[in-house]
Amino acid sequence: MNDRSSLLTHLECAKCHHIVDAFSLVNLCPVCAKPLLARYDLKKAAAAIDHRNLSDRPQSVWRFPELLPVRNPLCRMYLGEGGTPLIPATQLGASVGHEHLFIKEEGLNPTGSFKARGLGVAVSCALERGAKALSIPSAGNAAGAMSAYAARAGLKAHVFMPKDVPESFVVECQVLGAEVTLVDGLINDAGKAAANHPDAANRFDVSTLKEPYRIEGKKTMGYEIAEQFNWELPDVLIYPTGGGTGLIGMWKAFDEMEEMGWISTKRPRMVSVQASGCAPIVRAFQSGLGEAKLWENASTDAGGLRVPGAIGDFLILDALYQSHGTALTVEDHEMKEGARRMGLAEGVFVSPEGAATFVAFEKLFQSGWILPEETVVLFNTGSGHKYYNLWAD
Ligand SMILES: *Cc1c(COP(=O)(O)O)cnc(C)c1O
């Protein structure tokens, strides 16, 4: 029996490289208030894991516990997260004249979105490090995922969501036992409400990239993509970007895999898709900036993309520039049409965020930025089920 314990060594600030003790329960860098990232003993990991022989490991987020920050196996909260299929989108691709299109189907995760990956790991970490209660500001899917894992871990869950969030998201959190506060404003206002709550000091805040653990769950998408393509990464990844955890996480996974010798130096071009009503990353990318300014009056039906300011902006932009990727916007009505085309062609009921990746793909293919022989992966980050009001009209 292998001893598959965590090889986490420390946490490191993504900006000033300050080092923090591996198993402390922390939010941001205590020196510069930027995100902290988990670092592992990758030499040991390379020696301990035979990436060509993984048949005795689970198909889940917990496939490589050596490369995740939870030491105690009893603290690894499992509800079925990860191990999602890579679906060849042959008919969808053919409808635009492209033959190498795939959908990473994240809508199959617990609570219907890839937020389950990040929050499964973050809640597990919080439990292991002694938290008793958690809080989260969310546009919807993160709140549901946090509520589910908090319930499983026996922790109190407090969620803060914009008051115009679709009712299905509120109901989900309530049935999972969370205390729900609806806030007048957007997700950043919900974040302030969570931080200013009188009990905030007794609750560990699991906001996107304001703690180092969610990204570790999301990075597992990068490991899965590599394995699903037999350790040779595809040419282009198209990702619907809100806070950017998935994109930053996958880029981190590629760094780790390259260092362990699992993949070559070949990387996909990373594409950020945002809604035309909330596109801070696209605007910064088009101006060649290293950081993004807050987007005023953000508005889009794709809740996961309604993030006017991302604390990990510089990490998203770094990955886009380094990978020779790009960033572009799509309209809400294009997402709705895209969802219907994806549904009809492939039988996948996608979220508007997931549909945005197909709309972006079509634009990039028609403009010649994506070539016919290039392999492309679209991330359907969530299921369409919780967005009923959107599909009605
Ligand atoms: C949260 C969310 C996103 C954006 O993810 P980030 O990691 O914050 O960029 C995209 N799609 C869906 C369905 C989401 O719930």
Side-chain angles (χ1 to χ4, degrees):
M1 184 65 197
N2 270 328
D3 171 29
R4 289 173 185 159
S5 46
S6 173
L7 296 174
L8 183 70
T9 52
H10 58 278
L11 305 170
E12 180 186 358
C13 175
K15 194 84 183 182
C16 78
H17 305 289
H18 177 74
I19 289 186
V20 174
D21 179 63
F23 287 93
S24 50
L25 185 66
V26 285
N27 287 108
L28 293 167
C29 171
V31 176
C32 74
K34 292 289 183 188
L36 291 168
L37 299 175
R39 300 295 184 206
Y40 301 84
D41 186 336
L42 294 174
K43 275 207 184 70
K44 245 189 215 167
I49 307 168
D50 177 3
H51 70 291
R52 298 273 179 192
N53 181 12
L54 301 171
S55 51
D56 62 339
R57 289 174 179 258
Q59 294 278 1
S60 84
V61 157
W62 305 99
R63 195 160 179 76
F64 304 114
E66 296 91 336
L67 300 166
L68 289 173
V70 186
R71 244 185 323 198
N72 180 353
L74 297 176
C75 290
R76 292 174 193 151
M77 296 297 112
Y78 178 68
L79 288 170
E81 61 285 352
T84 59
L86 183 71
I87 297 176
T90 317
Q91 299 175 95
L92 188 66
S95 73
V96 300
H98 186 274
E99 291 177 3
H100 308 283
L101 187 62
F102 294 84
I103 300 171
K104 181 69 171 156
E105 193 6 5
E106 291 293 304
L108 295 176
N109 277 298
T111 68
S113 88
F114 75 153
K115 292 292 195 302
R117 292 183 188 264
L119 285 151
V121 172
V123 171
S124 298
C125 282
L127 174 69
E128 179 172 54
R129 289 154 178 78
K132 298 281 179 273
L134 305 174
S135 70
I136 195 168
S138 166
N141 277 321
M146 195 271 254
S147 303
Y149 289 96
R152 186 147 192 89
L155 305 179
K156 281 292 296 166
H158 302 271
V159 311
F160 295 79
M161 290 189 281
K163 71 175 194 302
D164 59 354
V165 68
E167 199 186 346
S168 48
F169 293 97
V170 179
V171 171
E172 179 184 33
C173 295
Q174 286 170 337
V175 173
L176 289 166
E179 181 195 278
V180 178
T181 305
L182 296 178
V183 176
D184 194 3
L186 299 177
I187 186 167
N188 47 333
D189 303 300
K192 281 179 208 149
N196 294 336
H197 192 279
D199 292 336
N202 303 321
R203 302 170 178 176
F204 184 62
D205 182 359
V206 288
S207 301
T208 297
L209 281 168
K210 289 194 181 161
E211 50 72 47
Y213 315 113
R214 272 173 76 177
I215 186 177
E216 293 304 295
K218 287 260 186 99
K219 84 177 178 189
T220 58
M221 286 192 298
Y223 280 90
E224 285 179 24
I225 290 285
E227 186 181 351
Q228 284 169 321
F229 282 101
N230 201 21
W231 310 106
E232 191 171 321
L233 295 174
D235 298 295
V236 177
L237 300 185
I238 307 187
Y239 181 82
T241 306
T245 347
L247 188 138
I248 301 167
M250 286 193 281
W251 197 248
K252 181 175 189 282
F254 300 154
D255 284 342
E256 291 173 357
M257 283 186 281
E258 191 181 321
E259 205 172 321
M260 292 186 292
W262 294 10
I263 58 170
S264 72
T265 54
K266 189 200 149 199
R267 296 281 177 101
R269 308 204 295 289
M270 308 294 277
V271 179
S272 260
V273 191
Q274 295 197 301
S276 52
C278 180
I281 297 296
V282 177
R283 184 171 64 185
F285 179 84
Q286 287 172 347
S287 310
L289 299 175
E291 286 173 19
K293 282 214 295 283
L294 194 77
W295 188 275
E296 302 291 339
N297 303 318
S299 150
T300 168
D301 288 330
L305 306 185
R306 206 164 58 147
V307 181
I311 186 165
D313 56 352
F314 64 107
L315 297 170
I316 303 171
L317 289 159
D318 272 359
L320 298 181
Y321 296 129
Q322 277 184 43
S323 72
H324 308 286
T326 191
L328 71 167
T329 60
V330 308
E331 306 280 341
D332 279 19
H333 75 88
E334 293 179 306
M335 295 182 212
K336 283 207 254 182
E337 290 152 18
R340 288 179 197 280
R341 286 179 62 194
M342 293 174 84
L344 180 64
E346 302 297 347
V348 178
F349 185 19
V350 301
S351 58
E353 295 87 344
T357 64
F358 171 61
V359 178
F361 162 74
E362 193 172 20
K363 288 177 200 266
L364 293 170
F365 183 57
Q366 283 168 355
S367 74
W369 194 88
I370 290 173
L371 302 174
E373 67 274 16
E374 289 185 314
T375 300
V376 180
V377 179
L378 310 178
F379 286 85
N380 177 40
T381 43
S383 138
H385 282 104
K386 280 185 256 176
Y387 301 76
Y388 292 121
N389 49 345
L390 194 62
W391 313 118
D393 46 273

